[in-house]
Amino acid sequence: GLVGSAMIVLFGFLFVTVSSRLTGEIGSSSNPISGMMVATLLLTCLLFLVLEAFGAIEINKYTKLTVLTIASVVCIASSNGGTTSQALKTGYLVGATPRSQQFAILIGSLTSALVIGVTLLLINEANTVYTKRNLPTQKIDVTQLRDKDHVRSGLYADDPNEYYVLNVGRGEKGATVPPGRYLVDDSGTIVYLVDPAVNGTVKETDDGKKVAKYDAPKTVLIQLIIDGVLDRALPWDLVLIGVLIAVTLELTGVPSLPFAVGVYLPLSASMPIFLGGMVRWLVDRIKPKPRSEAESDMSPGVLLSSGYIAGGSIAALLVAFFNFYSPLVDALNIGPVLLGEAWLESNVPPLVVFALMCLVLIVVGSERWGRSNATNSAATA
C-alpha cells in the first residue's frame, strides 16, 4: 500500500502536468489520457515485478487489482488536471472568479464520481445473466472462499439462498474452471455462472430471452497489459512492431497518434467519423469555406454535429435504462409489429436512419454557407 501510494503521487504529478499542458495547447479532445494510463500500467507492473524478484510481494489477482487501482487514480487525476486547467484558463479570459470556479470543479468532480459509479453498477446489474447452462462440474473448496452473494436480478431472482463467490481470471494460476464469476453452494457445487453486462458473452437467458451486452475494448486492452506483464506472457514482439511502425510514421511526417487510434478503434467506431469527414468535404465542395476559423466553429453544421454526438450519448443511456423495466421495453418494441421479425435482424432500418441524418447535415451545412455568401455579396454590392 505504501509503494502504491508513492507511485500514485509520482505518476500523478508527472501525468497531470502533461495533461494540463496538452489540453492548453491542443485541446481536451486530443489529450492522450489512455496513453498515459497505459504508461502508468507498464511502469507499475515492471516495478511490481522487481518487488516480486526481491521477495517483497507475491503476484496474484489482488496484486493485479492494486495495479489497476493505481492506474485508475492516475488516469482520473490526469483527466481532471486537464479539465481544470482548461476551465481556469477560459475563466481567466472571460474574467471569472477562480475561487468560485474551483468550488464548482470540486462539486462537479464529486457528483460525477458518485453518479457515474452507481449508474455503471446499476446498468451492469440489470443486464447481468445468471445461467445454469454448461456449468463446470468440478468441486470447489469453499474453505478458500471468503465473499458471499445472492442472485440479484433476472430469471432466478427469487432464489433466496446465499452462495460463495468464485472469481477466476484469465490465465490464473491453479484455476480448475474457465474464467468467470461463479456462485458456489456449501457443498462446493457451482450453481450459477454470473455473466456481466459489460464485456459479457452470454446474450440469452435460460428461458430464451435476449439480453443486451456492452463492449468495452479499452478494459480488455488494460487487462491484456496487466496479465501480460505480470504473468510474463505479453507478446513483446507485437509491442516492438508497433513501436517500429510509430517511428517509421514519424520519420515520414505522418502523425503516429491519430494513426494508432485509427488502428485501435473498431470499424464500427471509426466509420462514422470517416463518413462525417466525407460530409464535411462534400459541404465544402458545394459551398465555399467560411472566411475565419471562428466562423467555421460556430457554423450550424458543426453545431448540429455536436448535437448528434450529445443526442447519441443520451439515447444510449435511455435505451440502457429501459432494461430496468421490461414491460416498457416490450411496449416500445413496435418494429416487429410494423415490419415483422426481420426488423430485429436487418441492418436496413438503421442504415436508412443514418443516411437521413447525413442528408440533414449536408442540407444544414450547405444552407449556412449559402446564406453567408448571399449576405456578403449583398453587402459588397
Side-chain angles (χ1 to χ4, degrees):
L2 187 61
V3 174
S5 301
M7 285 190 287
I8 288 175
V9 173
L10 174 63
F11 295 140
F13 175 79
L14 292 175
F15 290 129
V16 165
T17 305
V18 173
S19 175
S20 299
R21 188 177 184 88
L22 288 175
T23 301
E25 292 181 350
I26 62 177
S28 58
S29 59
S30 301
N31 193 5
I33 295 294
S34 57
M36 299 179 198
M37 184 176 184
V38 168
T40 304
L41 281 174
L42 289 173
L43 294 173
T44 305
C45 289
L46 291 175
L47 182 57
F48 274 36
L49 286 178
V50 173
L51 293 176
E52 184 198 28
F54 284 97
I57 63 172
E58 178 186 358
I59 300 298
N60 51 35
K61 60 184 179 183
Y62 301 107
T63 310
K64 296 177 180 179
L65 178 61
T66 303
V67 172
L68 179 61
T69 303
I70 293 171
S72 300
V73 173
V74 173
C75 176
I76 296 171
S78 301
S79 177
N80 282 337
T83 303
T84 302
S85 298
Q86 190 176 50
L88 293 176
K89 174 180 140 182
T90 306
Y92 172 77
L93 295 176
V94 300
T97 305
R99 176 184 174 89
S100 301
Q101 281 187 278
Q102 290 171 357
F103 278 125
I105 290 170
L106 288 173
I107 295 172
S109 299
L110 178 61
T111 304
S112 62
L114 295 175
V115 173
I116 292 175
V118 174
T119 301
L120 288 175
L121 289 174
L122 291 176
I123 292 177
N124 184 68
E125 182 178 319
N127 282 5
T128 295
V129 175
Y130 293 82
T131 178
K132 295 184 176 182
R133 294 180 295 185
N134 303 320
L135 296 177
T137 57
Q138 295 92 327
K139 288 289 185 177
I140 306 299
D141 184 9
V142 294
T143 59
Q144 304 297 321
L145 304 178
R146 296 177 297 178
D147 299 329
K148 284 192 170 185
D149 200 359
H150 60 276
V151 179
R152 297 180 176 273
S153 61
L155 180 63
Y156 305 105
D158 56 350
D159 186 348
N161 299 318
E162 281 206 339
Y163 300 95
Y164 289 99
V165 177
L166 173 64
N167 290 312
V168 181
R170 296 180 183 177
E172 186 172 330
K173 299 177 182 178
T176 59
V177 297
R181 180 181 177 90
Y182 302 93
L183 298 184
V184 185
D185 63 14
D186 294 336
S187 65
T189 302
I190 296 177
V191 182
Y192 297 103
L193 166 65
V194 185
D195 188 72
V198 180
N199 286 333
T201 57
V202 181
K203 299 182 180 180
E204 190 175 284
T205 61
D206 289 356
D207 59 352
K209 182 180 179 181
K210 292 186 177 181
V211 178
K213 297 292 181 176
Y214 310 108
D215 295 329
K218 282 191 177 182
T219 60
V220 176
L221 174 64
I222 292 170
Q223 178 253 323
L224 290 175
I225 292 174
I226 295 176
D227 287 347
V229 176
L230 294 183
D231 295 337
R232 298 173 176 83
L234 189 70
W236 288 104
D237 51 347
L238 296 178
V239 175
L240 293 176
I241 289 174
V243 172
L244 294 176
I245 291 175
V247 172
T248 303
L249 290 171
E250 292 292 343
L251 291 175
T252 56
V254 178
S256 59
L257 182 59
F259 178 86
V261 172
V263 172
Y264 166 68
L265 291 176
L267 285 177
S268 59
S270 57
M271 183 58 70
I273 299 175
F274 172 76
L275 293 177
M278 293 296 294
V279 169
R280 176 61 183 264
W281 174 84
L282 181 60
V283 169
D284 290 341
R285 295 280 292 183
I286 295 174
K287 299 293 181 182
K289 296 181 180 179
R291 291 177 297 175
S292 67
E293 185 178 349
E295 184 181 350
S296 174
D297 291 339
M298 292 185 296
S299 67
V302 174
L303 296 178
L304 181 60
S305 301
S306 303
Y308 280 170
I309 297 173
S313 303
I314 295 173
L317 277 177
L318 290 176
V319 171
F321 276 110
F322 282 161
N323 291 282
F324 292 109
Y325 189 61
S326 55
L328 181 60
V329 178
D330 297 335
L332 294 175
N333 191 17
I334 60 176
V337 178
L338 297 177
L339 302 178
E341 290 294 335
W343 168 278
L344 300 176
E345 306 295 336
S346 175
N347 291 324
V348 173
L351 284 175
V352 171
V353 174
F354 188 81
L356 289 175
M357 293 171 62
C358 292
L359 181 61
V360 172
L361 186 58
I362 293 173
V363 172
V364 171
S366 302
E367 180 67 19
R368 168 58 176 168
W369 307 147
R371 272 188 278 180
S372 297
N373 290 326
T375 303
N376 294 334
S377 298
T380 303

